[in-house]
Amino acid sequence: MIHFRHACSTPIRPIAAAIALLCVPAAWAQTPATMPVVTIQAAHEGLGLQRENGTASRLALAAQDLPASVESLGAASIEARGDVQMKDAVTRTTGLTDISSPGNGIAYSARGFSGNSAIAILENGQRPQVGSGTATYPSDPWGYEYVEVLRGPGSVIHGSGTTGATINAVRKAPTRAAAFEAMAGIGAGRALRAGVGASGALGQGGAFRVDAYADRSDGLIERGDARHGKLLASAAYALAPGLDLDVQLDHLEQKPQRYFGTPLVGGGLARALRRQNYNVADADIGFDDDKALARLTWRVAPALTISNELAYLKARRHWRNAESYAYEPTSKLVERSDYIAIAHDQEQAGNRLEARWDGGANRLVAGWEAATINFTHTNNAPYGGASSVAPTGFDPGVFDSPDPLRPNFSTDTATHALYAEDAYRFSERLLLLAGLRHDRYKVERTSLQGAAGFDARLQSTAARLGLSWKVLPATSLYAQASSGSDPVTSLLSLNLANSRYKLTRSRQVETGVKQSLAGGRAEWTAALYRIRKDDIITRDPANPALSIQGGAQSSRGVELSASVALAPAWRVEANAVYLDAKFDQLFEAGNVSRAGNRPSDAPKSSANLWLSYRSGDWRAGGGARHVGQRFIDNANTQSLPAYTVLDASAGWQASRHVLVQLNLRNLADRLYASTSYGGSQYLLGARRHAELTVQWRY
């Protein structure tokens, strides 16, 4: 067992020490005379159709060959656009909408389905189980080579085939070639950030990669101070001919912004309250994650490879906040309630044993996964406490709840999965891809307050069958049918009421086209799909006092993506989505039917546009992000207004090693809500601001 020491009380201190260490040339450099010069490039990577996509398949297939809607966004594009958070980069891909809040950490909506049960978030192919709906990393793009997105329930290799999408941040790999990169930035809102990365040889047969990052900002609101830090370390070593060892050790610390939204005034957003933070003065949120991984790969024969991957994760999270706010027009005060204190302790150990066969026209991979997860939930339910403050110029007070913080429950979860995926190439033009996965879960819950515990056993089977046809060498048509499943709530926090429910079932049919033109200077894709999800929770029409699994929701839509070089110095990248999502069957309290209504957080339209220019030592770019209207309730009585935000960047290659870049965000200073936190308060998007960064590469 691998043990980690608890995080330092000052989160950024160990990260800053690592940055200082990496900046000492002797700590990473090989012989200076043989070190290659690496010039910063503003690479235009397009849609990544020719890149192998490991999120949609483990068979080393290029995106153009996959019968699925996939997308890849490289580090060069993320840096050129100035996206400093992972969610900023992810939501520039097709059809992904940010719905993150301090409670759920990182969360997205895609294809009409929302949240961390329906959208899988992976880091280098590893998917931690989600405790109480909270996912905490990866939160920033430093140290990652690219981000891959698979839309729809198409993955049979990374979990049970989540309905909306699978997002995978792929790490920069160790290399024996010595390299060093660094970044420093300063911006509005007292923003400071810095990152370093280094790779090089390790002995006679190994290589290493280390990335460290730290930032802080007040988020342009009162008492919004946030801090993040991480250290990612990986190494690869050839133990013997045909036998390789890869290891990773990571430590991440986050103190997210302690902001739970701004109350609505007269049912709308109030610009005068834009900088206000209605949380208490001693509010606190903290996420600490430690992760270790070891992978042994044995090339048994030219066509056969066997690997075993052991992973360990320990997560510690805590919250202490006043979370609910409502403006009372009579008293002209903001009423605060829900003084909530929560702590999560999660420990997960897992193993993946896999065999891969590449027999020419046929490629096959099969594997077995097993994991155990221990999760303890501590809280101060029923979350009492209340206070009133003026809309502006108020004393925020301190956290004062009549309810003690005490351990509530713990769960022990065991998971097992078998999966297989096969790609058969009938010819150079025709590829058949089939996959099957079966998951089993056993959850044992123990009350830490004297209540009865229980056991629950769940299972699911996910499948995919797709055909890809290259009608021309650079033009592919595809069609697929796939299935998946989601839990009705987080498995690790399953309660007695939900323990009798099975996993929901989703089914998708999809067809599309992928094309590369003019030698790769232009790429475009289009996809049409329909998804239906059954067994969602609904009230029993015959007895509205009872909840049963009889509801259903569906979505259908069209997705378009393109990347086109307009001229040697110009490129435009764009995507757009039209989505028709609805409840097919859903009854709520009072036997009220919501059939035909749109699910929450599902915009009918979304789009992204980015125009970039590069000439000589100069580069620039600008674009727009559009998210359509979204409802926040199943009754469709309250909505988040549509918004369009304009961003821009400009860079100067000061030398072959140094790039200076200015990033501008929300140029029109648009007042908008990124998501809701209940019906009386919305989380506002960031105001107009700028950041200046300097990047070094050697």
Side-chain angles (χ1 to χ4, degrees), residues 244-443:
D244 297 330
L245 175 66
D246 296 273
V247 295
Q248 294 176 13
L249 287 172
D250 301 343
H251 178 69
L252 304 92
E253 299 179 12
Q254 301 181 60
K255 302 286 285 184
Q257 194 177 72
R258 300 174 298 282
Y259 167 70
F260 284 81
T262 300
L264 304 180
V265 177
L269 304 178
R271 186 173 289 271
L273 306 184
R274 196 174 192 179
R275 285 190 57 89
Q276 302 302 312
N277 183 355
Y278 293 93
N279 209 337
V280 292
D282 59 345
D284 194 17
I285 306 175
F287 305 146
D288 295 338
D289 297 282
D290 292 301
K291 190 174 73 170
L293 181 144
R295 182 192 306 111
L296 195 63
T297 303
W298 178 28
R299 292 182 293 280
V300 183
L304 177 62
T305 302
I306 297 175
S307 65
N308 191 79
E309 187 173 274
L310 178 66
Y312 174 83
L313 167 72
K314 186 172 181 62
R316 301 166 299 279
R317 313 179 188 113
H318 65 267
W319 296 260
R320 187 185 65 219
N321 306 274
E323 296 189 8
S324 295
Y325 324 125
Y327 177 76
E328 293 296 334
T330 303
S331 63
K332 297 184 178 180
L333 295 175
V334 175
E335 303 294 337
R336 303 188 300 188
S337 58
D338 289 343
Y339 279 56
I340 296 178
I342 292 176
H344 293 174
D345 288 283
Q346 179 176 337
E347 189 172 16
Q348 176 174 335
N351 193 81
R352 176 192 290 157
L353 177 63
E354 182 177 278
R356 184 178 304 179
W357 173 267
D358 186 355
N362 193 63
R363 297 182 184 180
L364 173 68
V365 64
W368 167 66
E369 293 179 354
T372 60
I373 308 100
N374 308 118
F375 181 76
T376 301
H377 191 283
T378 301
N379 62 33
N380 71 325
Y383 311 123
S387 60
S388 301
V389 295
T392 60
F394 57 89
D395 178 357
V398 296
F399 186 87
D400 185 16
S401 170
D403 305 310
L405 178 68
R406 55 181 181 168
N408 188 351
F409 67 88
S410 66
T411 58
D412 293 305
T413 303
T415 73
H416 294 273
L418 294 171
Y419 63 88
E421 186 183 27
D422 185 83
Y424 186 77
R425 195 175 292 277
F426 293 97
S427 67
E428 288 296 321
R429 293 190 173 188
L430 202 59
L431 176 75
L432 179 68
L433 182 65
L436 185 67
R437 181 185 181 96
H438 182 72
D439 288 90
R440 290 181 179 267
Y441 307 92
K442 180 183 178 182
V443 183

Side-chain angles (χ1 to χ4, degrees), residues 153-156 160-161 420 434-438 461-465 480-484 506-508:
S155 177
V156 297
S160 56
L436 185 67
R437 181 185 181 96
H438 182 72
T461 300
R464 177 175 67 183
L465 182 64
Q480 70 149 318
S482 59
S483 64
S506 57
R507 303 182 303 278
Q508 174 185 258

Side-chain angles (χ1 to χ4, degrees), residues 433-587:
L433 182 65
L436 185 67
R437 181 185 181 96
H438 182 72
D439 288 90
R440 290 181 179 267
Y441 307 92
K442 180 183 178 182
V443 183
E444 298 178 353
R445 173 164 166 150
T446 302
S447 172
L448 302 178
Q449 297 185 6
F454 64 85
D455 296 349
R457 297 175 185 270
L458 302 164
Q459 59 180 318
S460 68
T461 300
R464 177 175 67 183
L465 182 64
L467 186 68
S468 178
W469 177 35
K470 281 189 176 181
V471 293
L472 294 171
T475 304
S476 298
L477 301 178
Y478 74 88
Q480 70 149 318
S482 59
S483 64
S485 65
D486 302 325
V488 297
T489 186
S490 171
L491 292 177
L492 305 190
S493 50
L494 200 66
N495 60 28
L496 182 61
N498 291 329
S499 64
R500 67 182 187 272
Y501 298 136
K502 59 185 178 181
L503 301 180
T504 63
R505 296 177 295 116
S506 57
R507 303 182 303 278
Q508 174 185 258
V509 291
E510 179 182 317
T511 186
V513 58
K514 305 174 185 180
Q515 186 176 46
S516 180
L517 301 169
R521 291 192 295 274
E523 294 178 324
W524 71 280
T525 68
L528 295 169
Y529 65 88
R530 189 183 190 280
I531 304 174
R532 179 182 170 92
K533 184 175 183 177
D534 293 306
D535 297 323
I536 67 173
I537 304 302
T538 181
R539 294 299 179 99
D540 187 347
N543 184 359
L546 297 179
S547 294
I548 61 171
Q549 273 189 292
Q553 68 182 92
S554 63
S555 68
R556 58 183 180 178
V558 56
E559 298 167 344
L560 299 170
S561 307
S563 177
V564 181
L566 303 176
W570 294 89
R571 177 172 285 267
V572 63
E573 295 166 292
N575 57 64
V577 171
Y578 175 78
L579 170 67
D580 179 17
K582 65 178 181 179
F583 290 112
D584 298 284
Q585 183 173 341
L586 179 67
F587 289 93

Side-chain angles (χ1 to χ4, degrees), residues 109-163:
S109 171
R111 290 194 169 183
F113 303 92
S114 303
N116 288 322
S117 291
I119 313 295
I121 302 174
L122 283 62
E123 199 269 354
N124 229 36
Q126 288 286 328
R127 183 189 180 192
Q129 284 289 334
V130 177
S132 290
T134 302
T136 57
Y137 75 91
S139 63
D140 66 85
W142 185 259
Y144 295 97
E145 190 66 38
Y146 49 89
V147 179
E148 294 178 338
V149 177
L150 166 67
R151 288 177 283 273
S155 177
V156 297
I157 56 171
H158 296 299
S160 56
T162 45
T163 303

Side-chain angles (χ1 to χ4, degrees), residues 83-99:
D83 292 330
V84 299
Q85 297 186 66
M86 185 63 77
K87 63 184 182 181
D88 296 332
V90 168
T91 53
R92 292 198 194 275
T93 65
T94 311
L96 271 292
T97 303
D98 174 33
I99 59 169

